[in-house]
Amino acid sequence: MILRRISILNYKNIAEATLDLSPKMNCFVGHNGVGKTNVLDAIYYLSFCRSQQNALDSQVMRHEADFFMLEGEYNHSEERIVKSEESSLTISCGMKRGTKKHFKRNKKEYKRLSEHIGLIPLVVVSPGDTMLIDGGSEERRRLMDMVIAQYDPAYMESLTRYNKALQQRNTLLRMEDGEPDADVMAILEEQMAEEGEQLYRKRAAFVDELVPVFQHYHQVISQDREQVGLTYVSHCQRGPLLDVIRRDRMKDRAVGYSLHGVHRDDLEFTLSGHQMKREGSQGQNKTYVIALKLAQFEFLKRTSSRTTPLLLLDDIFDKLDADRVEQIVKLVSGNDFGQIFITDTNREHLDKILQSGSFDYKIFSVEGGEVSLV
């Protein structure tokens, strides 16, 4: 997929910007806090119907404004796609303060935003990715969910049903007056087990396919100096999920929430057989998550979307030695990757990338929310 042009109006600190983009490399240069990441976040929003950094849509609106609007014009990059409505599309989103947002594809509004997820696959690598290592298991589950949802629409529907049943069961567990209705509890547990086992199978299949690709990218970036592992851990591995959930119902009642289920799934990250969280340096941690995200990119490229994802690289070279930077540059500037968006405060990093190959590129300067072509 290629983003030919993006129009941004009142998005975070960007009052107005219309950018005609390179089909290969787009570089955004500027000091910290000037709005480089906000440009990438606008691109992210058009793929996922939400901001990566802000939970509420009202938070992405420029403080002085009463509305925001985004519009992206896209083309499929694959030659096999014949000229049709689907080979060129326009995605737009707008929201007035105090109202709901409107998301449109070729001027036709979506009935459900979930219909849009996966149309424009995207992978973003950002400084916050280290939370995959340092943060709780919810960060690592979110990684699995965001990837699988982009190629399997039924996955998000199953996850939504599971979470609804989980929430209702937790409400029953917290009842203070009397015991929860046993029949209702049984129905909710059966729903959790049915949906949970579907989610488990899809997560397990995803991880099995991802691991060798991830290890390959890590080997290239680290030049085979480190051995890394990635293991999926789930309560479904203990037996039928319904039995696992029901086994500790009394404990759940005591604490007031469900202790078992796929909402507790996790990914174990290891370096030389030890937990990454305890062993990894800043550079090793960053190498790990970059390799993981590049593997995610390749996985999406090979799945049913049948289009090359957009790749967003936000300030990724900090904390990395020159050798690792060089290897990443060689990887992303090759033919295996499509359109790329990079932010950096250091023009020298970007110059190295641009000098590494004869590909099309554009450099944009960002200052105080204003974006201009260099």
Side-chain angles (χ1 to χ4, degrees):
M1 189 68 74
I2 299 296
L3 176 57
R4 293 188 293 109
R5 172 182 289 183
I6 186 169
S7 298
I8 305 171
L9 194 60
N10 296 327
Y11 193 83
K12 298 190 175 181
N13 74 329
I14 302 173
E16 185 175 2
T18 298
L19 309 177
D20 291 311
L21 300 162
S22 163
K24 178 58 180 177
M25 190 81 70
N26 296 276
C27 307
F28 298 88
V29 187
H31 297 297
N32 289 323
V34 296
K36 304 186 303 298
T37 299
N38 294 343
V39 177
L40 267 57
D41 195 56
I43 298 170
Y44 182 96
Y45 200 111
L46 288 171
S47 281
F48 292 104
C49 308
R50 65 176 183 84
S51 164
Q52 185 190 21
Q53 286 106 8
N54 300 86
L56 301 176
D57 290 313
S58 58
Q59 294 175 342
V60 306
M61 200 177 300
R62 200 164 63 95
H63 294 309
E64 302 84 0
D66 294 322
F67 72 98
F68 81 87
M69 184 172 291
L70 300 173
E71 183 174 273
E73 299 175 20
Y74 298 85
N75 280 121
H76 279 284
S77 56
E78 286 72 6
E79 293 181 359
R80 67 178 180 274
I81 305 258
V82 296
K83 182 66 176 175
S84 67
E85 182 182 3
E86 292 306 309
S87 67
S88 177
L89 70 155
T90 299
I91 303 298
S92 59
C93 177
M95 189 182 85
K96 293 182 180 179
R97 197 176 294 280
T99 65
K100 73 171 187 176
K101 63 187 170 191
H102 297 274
F103 223 92
K104 298 180 181 180
R105 171 179 172 179
N106 291 338
K107 299 182 179 180
K108 183 178 180 180
E109 186 162 359
Y110 283 102
K111 292 182 180 179
R112 296 186 303 169
L113 295 180
S114 59
E115 297 172 1
H116 179 69
I117 305 301
L119 179 68
I120 306 167
L122 178 150
V123 173
V124 56
V125 186
S126 67
D129 288 337
T130 55
M131 285 297 293
L132 288 168
I133 295 172
D134 300 328
S137 60
E138 66 274 8
E139 300 288 340
R140 295 177 284 278
R141 285 193 300 277
R142 188 177 297 118
L143 170 71
M144 292 190 285
D145 295 341
M146 291 301 293
V147 180
I148 300 172
Q150 289 187 72
Y151 65 87
D152 185 350
Y155 181 85
M156 282 306 296
E157 295 175 5
S158 186
L159 183 62
T160 299
R161 290 192 293 268
Y162 177 88
N163 286 335
K164 183 177 180 181
L166 170 66
Q167 188 177 41
Q168 291 174 333
R169 183 177 189 267
N170 286 345
T171 299
L172 287 180
L173 291 171
R174 289 192 291 267
M175 282 184 56
E176 295 182 1
D177 298 329
E179 288 298 313
D181 187 297
D183 292 335
V184 175
M185 182 71 77
I187 291 172
L188 294 175
E189 289 170 345
E190 289 169 2
Q191 290 176 346
M192 286 177 61
E194 180 181 354
E195 302 297 344
E197 288 184 344
Q198 288 191 48
L199 295 170
Y200 167 73
R201 286 192 292 270
K202 293 180 179 182
R203 287 174 177 176
F206 161 66
V207 173
D208 283 346
E209 192 170 342
L210 185 76
V211 168
V213 183
F214 156 65
Q215 290 177 328
H216 164 72
Y217 277 120
H218 192 281
Q219 183 180 34
V220 172
I221 296 172
S222 69
Q223 297 179 289
D224 207 17
R225 288 179 292 193
E226 297 149 6
Q227 299 298 315
V228 291
L230 173 63
T231 305
Y232 176 37
V233 180
S234 174
H235 288 151
C236 285
Q237 294 158 347
R238 301 180 181 180
L241 186 57
L242 183 59
D243 293 344
V244 175
I245 292 172
R246 286 176 170 170
R247 192 177 301 150
D248 286 321
R249 188 188 289 178
M250 294 306 295
K251 285 185 180 179
D252 293 354
R253 182 84 166 103
V255 297
Y257 56 87
S258 303
L259 291 167
H260 296 91
V262 296
H263 60 287
R264 305 293 290 246
D265 284 2
D266 203 352
L267 293 171
E268 289 185 351
F269 297 163
T270 58
L271 175 67
S272 300
H274 303 284
Q275 285 192 17
M276 195 76 200
K277 184 181 294 187
R278 298 175 183 172
E279 294 292 320
S281 66
Q282 287 184 314
Q284 288 171 326
N285 287 353
K286 196 153 192 176
T287 301
Y288 192 103
V289 295
I290 290 173
L292 189 59
K293 289 302 188 76
L294 295 184
Q296 174 186 336
F297 177 96
E298 183 169 325
F299 186 91
L300 285 173
K301 185 179 177 181
R302 297 199 315 233
T303 53
S304 57
S305 63
R306 300 302 181 198
T307 187
T308 303
L310 305 179
L311 180 62
L312 279 52
L313 305 175
D314 188 14
D315 191 27
I316 68 165
F317 299 117
D318 185 42
K319 305 292 190 305
L320 293 176
D321 60 50
D323 288 342
R324 296 186 189 225
V325 170
E326 182 180 357
Q327 295 305 317
I328 294 170
V329 167
K330 286 180 180 178
L331 281 171
V332 301
S333 59
N335 294 329
D336 291 337
F337 292 86
Q339 191 179 29
I340 300 168
F341 301 84
I342 300 180
T343 70
D344 207 301
T345 57
N346 190 336
R347 176 66 185 266
E348 292 180 5
H349 286 151
L350 300 179
D351 286 338
K352 285 183 180 179
I353 294 175
L354 303 178
Q355 292 167 7
S356 66
S358 57
F359 46 77
D360 188 83
Y361 68 87
K362 287 187 177 181
I363 301 177
F364 298 89
S365 173
V366 185
E367 186 173 352
E370 295 186 3
V371 188
S372 57
L373 183 65
V374 175

